[in-house]
Amino acid sequence: MEQTPHLLLAEDESSLGFLLKENLRLAGFKINLCKDGAEALEAFKTGKFDLCIFDVNMPKKDGFELAADIRLLDKFVPIIFLTANSSEEDKLKGFEIGGDEYITKPFSTQELIARIKAIIKRTQFVKPEIATEQKILSAGITEVDITNHVIIQNGQEKRISNTEAELLKLFITHKNNLLTRSVILLNVWGRDDFYSARNLDVYINKLRKLLKEDPSLEIVNIHGSGFKLAENVGA
Amino acid sequence: MEQTPHLLLAEDESSLGFLLKENLRLAGFKINLCKDGAEALEAFKTGKFDLCIFDVNMPKKDGFELAADIRLLDKFVPIIFLTANSSEEDKLKGFEIGGDEYITKPFSTQELIARIKAIIKRTQFVKPEIATEQKILSAGITEVDITNHVIIQNGQEKRISNTEAELLKLFITHKNNLLTRSVILLNVWGRDDFYSARNLDVYINKLRKLLKEDPSLEIVNIHGSGFKLAENVGA
DNA sequence: TAAAAATATTAAGAAAACATTAACCTTTGG
DNA sequence: CCAAAGGTTAATGTTTTCTTAATATTTTTA
């Protein structure tokens, strides 16, 4: 994260948008203001943002659609929804999509700033996607070419899928450490619910089959907690 | 973090407190309900909580004072304030103290649950600094690897269950001190009733069997009060 | 010392977590 | 527009852990 947090603001009412932008700037943030969802999505693809603030009611692409699209690109970036609609249903929908806040208009700018700071404070330690993309990871006799989705064992190459690669990367970069189910799910799937948990089981099974070739590696389950890639050096 | 998040709830209105506790329990959380700030502070010192929910208006020690005290003990644990007062000033005060949420009554339980989950999710991502952290506690000749649910005695490893680990952790972090049945039950089971009490007896028995290997450790019963892990250095 | 309360022990039953395989969508490249 | 691959959901079986129950023992109190 840069020194001054960079916010992406999508708000179609230009007067409110401008006011917010100015106040947030004074509060020490860098703001990129977009007038609709489509523009915001483009901006997000181009830049790097620490937090998003989306009006829910916008033309072209509303705040929820926008958030859903953003979540496909980035599982982690915090999202705050702004709306005139205080309905319970809408609020819950906002959280379900993976929003962090749901603020109903009218709201105080001071309060918004306080909430932004609270969120940034608790996300600032979150691991950023590894900038120096390490191409090859290894453990035991297994090498994984993350970018090309290939694993190499005893000179033999095998292609693996995107999800397999992500999961394996997570295990190898934290080998011998317990990864809780929740941590794995959020890092690989971006959500933590019943189905993604079943999914994880399926992929654990796939990885175990892949790692059968490597006697020094084993994915062990810690019942009720999660999994650990154990590297047995003695083997 | 354990599988079921553990919440500390301080609410002086017993009817609201009970209702919340029940709803949160059904949502899959373990709750420790305290009826005032002083009691909550004590509970916080004894147990380990993933998130705190404090009513602002409470006798003895209000929610803000309580939060300030907690912040001295733990700079990161998320705090949610509940209050009937929706004044701007109060809200900002809540955030300034380092609160993560400020919810005004009346509020929907569903919304509260959604917000709790959003916050917990944020704190679940892999953080580089904690990924490698392996919590090992020790007493006598016994070492307990809390994260991996393993105890080590004389170089011998034994796997233990989630509940065994939690209970043992509680004993070791308070060794030579009496832990009342009630404190143990609330911290490990999140409830204090007839059945959980029988359960505790069962687990005391399990731990005693584990600790048989260690002549310097003994779980002693103080009849009518609770239990104590006695560490006998001379042995 | 007998009755009551609290604690201890073991085992059976229930529930939760995990593993495995297959079916079913969804996306994507020809 | 089809086929292949990857991802998700479903179904089912197994293992582990947790809870409840049943019964025995110890400690306190009347």
Side-chain angles (χ1 to χ4, degrees):
Chain A
M1 162 136 19
E2 311 97 83
Q3 204 70 348
T4 54
H6 202 158
L7 315 185
L8 178 61
L9 173 62
E11 170 61 70
D12 62 312
E13 294 173 46
S14 63
S15 55
L16 176 58
F18 187 76
L19 185 72
L20 271 180
K21 180 177 178 179
E22 198 49 26
N23 277 301
L24 291 173
R25 194 180 61 75
L26 290 173
F29 301 111
K30 261 198 293 187
I31 323 292
N32 194 333
L33 172 62
C34 301
K35 63 181 185 307
D36 61 50
E39 193 182 318
L41 186 58
E42 275 317 300
F44 190 87
K45 284 177 182 165
T46 322
K48 175 82 184 66
F49 297 91
D50 301 299
L51 186 145
C52 299
I53 305 172
F54 298 154
D55 189 2
V56 172
N57 303 108
M58 286 187 299
K60 288 195 186 165
K61 189 185 278 293
D62 76 30
F64 287 150
E65 291 176 55
L66 174 56
D69 288 347
I70 297 270
R71 273 280 166 268
L72 294 177
L73 300 170
D74 186 325
K75 294 192 285 286
F76 310 104
V77 63
I79 298 175
I80 294 179
F81 290 108
L82 301 180
T83 175
N85 183 354
S86 67
S87 85
E88 189 57 24
E89 205 183 328
D90 248 39
K91 268 190 199 176
L92 294 180
K93 188 173 168 192
F95 285 112
E96 197 179 314
I97 285 174
D100 292 77
E101 281 289 351
Y102 191 96
I103 301 179
T104 52
K105 301 177 190 176
F107 56 86
S108 112
T109 311
Q110 288 311 104
E111 182 184 339
L112 175 61
I113 291 170
R115 287 184 185 269
I116 291 171
K117 285 183 178 166
I119 292 177
I120 286 186
K121 191 180 83 184
R122 57 168 194 261
T123 55
Q124 67 187 337
F125 300 115
V126 171
K127 179 186 177 186
E129 284 307 296
I130 306 165
T132 56
E133 195 62 61
Q134 206 179 341
K135 282 213 176 71
I136 308 251
L137 296 173
S138 70
I141 59 161
T142 304
E143 286 179 40
V144 187
D145 183 336
I146 299 293
T147 39
N148 293 313
H149 297 177
V150 166
I151 75 171
I152 305 117
Q153 292 167 324
N154 302 317
Q156 290 254 315
E157 287 199 1
K158 256 186 261 173
R159 296 210 51 220
I160 59 178
S161 79
N162 200 8
T163 310
E164 286 164 347
E166 286 268 316
L167 183 56
L168 193 49
K169 178 173 87 175
L170 192 63
F171 272 123
I172 292 186
T173 52
H174 297 92
K175 73 182 170 196
N176 297 319
N177 280 319
L178 168 69
L179 290 168
T180 66
R181 292 188 85 101
S182 180
V183 162
I184 298 172
L185 291 171
L186 290 172
N187 278 281
V188 178
W189 281 271
R191 51 191 244 267
D192 175 0
D193 52 33
F194 176 81
Y195 292 114
S196 52
R198 289 315 96 236
N199 222 336
L200 171 56
D201 291 335
V202 172
Y203 275 85
I204 289 288
N205 188 250
K206 293 184 184 195
L207 286 195
R208 280 182 173 148
K209 281 177 184 163
L210 284 174
L211 295 182
K212 273 235 176 76
E213 304 295 312
D214 190 336
S216 59
L217 292 182
E218 190 186 7
I219 296 176
V220 300
N221 169 254
I222 284 96
H223 195 102
S225 296
F227 298 89
K228 169 171 91 168
L229 177 67
E231 186 179 38
N232 183 353
V233 285
Chain B
M1 161 126 35
E2 313 95 84
Q3 201 71 346
T4 55
H6 203 157
L7 315 183
L8 177 61
L9 173 60
E11 168 63 68
D12 62 312
E13 293 172 48
S14 64
S15 56
L16 176 59
F18 187 77
L19 186 73
L20 272 181
K21 180 178 175 180
E22 199 49 26
N23 277 299
L24 292 173
R25 196 179 62 75
L26 290 173
F29 301 108
K30 265 197 293 190
I31 323 291
N32 195 330
L33 171 62
C34 301
K35 62 181 184 306
D36 60 51
E39 194 181 315
L41 186 58
E42 275 316 298
F44 190 87
K45 285 177 183 165
T46 319
K48 174 81 184 63
F49 297 91
D50 301 300
L51 186 145
C52 299
I53 304 172
F54 298 153
D55 189 2
V56 171
N57 303 107
M58 285 188 297
K60 286 197 188 163
K61 188 185 280 292
D62 75 30
F64 287 149
E65 290 176 55
L66 173 57
D69 289 346
I70 297 270
R71 274 282 168 266
L72 295 177
L73 300 170
D74 186 325
K75 288 197 287 291
F76 301 108
V77 63
I79 299 175
I80 294 178
F81 290 109
L82 301 179
T83 176
N85 184 354
S86 66
S87 86
E88 190 55 26
E89 204 182 329
D90 246 40
K91 268 191 199 177
L92 293 179
K93 190 172 167 193
F95 285 112
E96 197 178 312
I97 285 173
D100 292 77
E101 282 287 351
Y102 191 96
I103 301 178
T104 53
K105 300 178 192 174
F107 55 87
S108 112
T109 310
Q110 288 311 102
E111 183 184 337
L112 175 62
I113 290 170
R115 288 183 184 270
I116 291 171
K117 285 184 177 166
I119 292 177
I120 286 185
K121 183 174 146 184
R122 284 276 151 244
T123 59
Q124 288 281 296
F125 290 116
V126 177
K127 296 167 194 164
E129 68 268 33
I130 66 160
T132 48
E133 178 192 326
Q134 225 163 11
K135 236 189 259 169
I136 301 213
L137 297 173
S138 69
I141 60 161
T142 304
E143 286 180 39
V144 186
D145 182 337
I146 299 291
T147 40
N148 290 312
H149 294 178
V150 164
I151 76 172
I152 305 116
Q153 291 167 324
N154 303 316
Q156 290 255 315
E157 288 198 1
K158 257 184 259 172
R159 301 190 55 179
I160 60 179
S161 81
N162 222 321
T163 310
E164 287 163 347
E166 289 220 18
L167 184 55
L168 192 49
K169 180 173 77 176
L170 192 62
F171 272 122
I172 293 186
T173 52
H174 297 87
K175 72 182 171 197
N176 297 318
N177 285 116
L178 168 69
L179 288 166
T180 66
R181 293 186 85 102
S182 173
V183 163
I184 298 173
L185 290 172
L186 287 175
N187 276 285
V188 178
W189 281 270
R191 55 189 237 267
D192 175 0
D193 53 31
F194 175 80
Y195 291 115
S196 51
R198 288 316 96 236
N199 226 333
L200 170 55
D201 291 335
V202 171
Y203 275 84
I204 289 287
N205 188 251
K206 293 185 184 196
L207 286 196
R208 280 182 174 147
K209 280 178 183 164
L210 285 173
L211 296 182
K212 273 233 177 76
E213 306 294 311
D214 190 336
S216 59
L217 292 182
E218 190 186 6
I219 295 175
V220 298
N221 169 255
I222 286 90
H223 196 97
S225 303
F227 298 89
K228 168 171 91 168
L229 177 67
E231 185 179 37
N232 182 354
V233 285

